[in-house]
C-alpha cells in the first residue's frame, strides 16, 4: 500500500482546504492547513502588539519566534486538527478578517517561513499527507508525487469567502473581502521569499465553474494515476 504526498497550492479562497480535507478523509491521510500556522503567528503578533494598523515591529516578532508553539490537535467531531497557539485553541480567532488583513505581511518574513517549513516537513516525513498552502509543491515538498494548483476568478473567490464569513457571524462587507483577497494574492505572488507560483509538474485547476463534487472526482482520478 503505497503512501504519497499531496501538495495543494493556490490563490486565497479557492477552496484548497475543502478539497484537501475531502481527499485526506477519502484516503485516510493526515491533512495539514499551513495557512492556519501563518495565521496563528499573526494572531500572536497582534496580541503582543507587534502588528496593527499602519505598524509592524518585525524585529520584536523575530526575537520571540522561538517561544511560539504551534500544534494541530485532532478534533473527532470536526474530523481535522484544530490550531493551537501556545496551548490555546485559536481555530476561531485565526479565521477573522482582522487576521487575514495582516497575515501576508507576517508570511513575508524569512525567519517565520523557515520555522514553519521545518515543522511542516517534519509532519510530512512519513508521507500519507495532504498539505495545502502557497509553497507546498515548490518549497516544502518539491518531491511530492501529486501537486495541484488551484485558481478561480477573484470575484468568485471573494463571493465564497464573504458567504463563509457572514455564516460565521463576522460582520464584513463584500467590498472589504474582495479587497483583502486581491491584496493577499498580490503580496503572496510578489514576495521575495517563496512566492506563490505554479510548481513544476503541478496540475492547475480553475474551479470558477466547477462543483465541489466534480473537482473532487477530478483530483481522485489524478491520485489513482500516481498510486
Ligand atoms: O490559506 P490561507 O488563506 O489561510 O493562508 C493565509 C495566508 O498565509 C496567505 O495569504 C499567505 O500570505 C500565507 N501563507 C503562506 N504560505 C503558506 C500558507 C499560507 O505564505 N504555505
Amino acid at each position: 500500500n503505497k503512501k504519497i504526498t499531496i501538495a495543494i497550492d493556490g490563490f486565497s479562497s479557492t477552496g484548497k482546504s475543502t478539497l484537501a480535507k475531502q481527499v485526506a478523509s477519502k484516503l485516510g491521510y493526515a491533512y495539514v492547513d499551513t495557512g492556519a500556522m501563518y495565521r496563528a503567528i499573526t494572531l500572536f503578533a497582534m496580541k503582543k502588539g507587534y502588528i496593527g494598523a499602519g505598524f509592524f515591529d518585525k524585529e520584536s516578532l523575530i526575537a520571540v519566534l522561538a517561544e511560539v508553539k504551534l500544534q494541530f490537535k485532532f478534533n473527532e467531531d470536526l474530523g481535522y486538527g484544530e490550531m493551537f497557539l501556545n496551548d490555546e485553541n485559536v481555530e476561531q480567532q485565526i479565521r477573522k478578517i482582522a487576521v487575514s488583513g495582516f497575515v501576508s505581511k507576517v508570511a513575508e518574513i524569512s525567519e517565520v517561513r523557515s520555522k514553519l517549513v521545518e515543522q511542516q516537513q517534519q509532519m510530512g516525513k512519513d508521507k500519507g499527507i495532504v498539505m495545502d498552502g502557497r509553497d507546498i509543491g515548490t518549497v516544502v515538498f518539491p518531491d511530492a508525487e501529486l501537486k495541484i494548483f488551484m485558481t478561480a476568478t477573484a470575484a468568485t473567490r471573494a463571493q465564497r469567502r464573504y458567504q463563509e464569513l457572514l455564516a460565521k457571524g463576522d460582520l464584513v462587507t463584500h467590498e472589504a473581502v474582495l479587497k483583502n483577497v486581491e491584496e493577499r494574492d498580490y503580496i503572496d505572488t510578489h514576495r521575495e521569499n517563496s512566492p506563490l507560483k505554479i510548481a513544476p509538474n503541478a496540475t492547475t485547476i480553475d474551479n470558477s465553474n466547477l462543483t465541489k463534487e466534480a473537482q473532487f472526482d477530478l483530483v481522485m482520478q489524478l491520485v489513482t494515476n500516481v498510486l
Side-chain angles (χ1 to χ4, degrees):
N1 219 345
K2 180 180 161 197
K3 274 191 184 173
I4 62 169
T5 298
I6 303 176
I8 303 184
D9 290 302
F11 290 104
S12 56
S13 305
T14 43
K16 296 185 297 294
S17 63
T18 305
L19 173 71
K21 279 177 200 158
Q22 284 177 314
V23 173
S25 108
K26 179 77 184 179
L27 297 170
Y29 280 15
Y31 160 63
V32 175
D33 170 5
T34 63
M37 301 169 76
Y38 288 93
R39 286 171 178 274
I41 293 205
T42 303
L43 181 67
F44 173 85
M46 289 165 73
K47 288 187 170 181
K48 288 274 189 189
Y50 297 153
I51 195 168
F55 69 94
F56 186 10
D57 178 0
K58 293 184 191 178
E59 294 313 317
S60 294
L61 175 62
I62 293 168
V64 297
L65 267 184
E67 290 169 26
V68 183
K69 184 171 87 171
L70 301 178
Q71 290 166 292
F72 287 100
K73 291 192 187 165
F74 193 76
N75 178 316
E76 295 278 347
D77 300 328
L78 295 172
Y80 58 85
E82 291 182 291
M83 188 79 245
F84 280 70
L85 165 65
N86 294 335
D87 299 312
E88 181 193 354
N89 185 338
V90 294
E91 188 60 35
Q92 308 285 324
Q93 294 177 67
I94 60 170
R95 308 293 165 191
K96 302 265 182 198
I97 189 107
V99 174
S100 304
F102 298 125
V103 63
S104 291
K105 287 271 158 218
V106 172
E108 283 185 304
I109 302 174
S110 61
E111 287 85 350
V112 168
R113 301 206 70 83
S114 41
K115 174 185 170 86
L116 298 192
V117 167
E118 192 184 316
Q119 197 177 342
Q120 290 152 9
Q121 289 173 335
Q122 194 59 29
M123 293 187 278
K125 69 180 184 343
D126 298 326
K127 297 188 181 265
I129 194 163
V130 184
M131 195 173 278
D132 81 42
R134 303 291 186 291
D135 60 342
I136 312 306
T138 52
V139 175
V140 182
F141 297 123
D143 298 330
E145 288 83 354
L146 180 61
K147 299 180 186 180
I148 309 279
F149 187 89
M150 289 173 70
T151 183
T153 64
T156 307
R157 294 184 283 125
Q159 184 59 27
R160 289 178 187 154
R161 182 54 62 104
Y162 174 62
Q163 298 293 356
E164 213 176 273
L165 288 167
L166 277 193
K168 285 185 191 160
D170 209 350
L171 293 174
V172 287
T173 62
H174 183 271
E175 198 193 350
V177 176
L178 178 60
K179 190 163 166 270
N180 173 256
V181 161
E182 288 177 335
E183 268 174 12
R184 279 200 287 145
D185 289 345
Y186 184 86
I187 300 175
D188 293 346
T189 46
H190 290 81
R191 69 182 174 218
E192 204 175 311
N193 298 313
S194 316
L196 170 64
K197 59 175 183 232
I198 306 178
N201 312 321
T203 301
T204 299
I205 299 180
D206 181 332
N207 63 20
S208 304
N209 298 304
L210 267 188
T211 62
K212 279 180 195 163
E213 295 73 26
Q215 170 171 274
F216 176 65
D217 292 345
L218 181 69
V219 172
M220 287 311 297
Q221 189 54 55
L222 295 173
V223 170
T224 309
N225 294 346
V226 292
L227 269 182

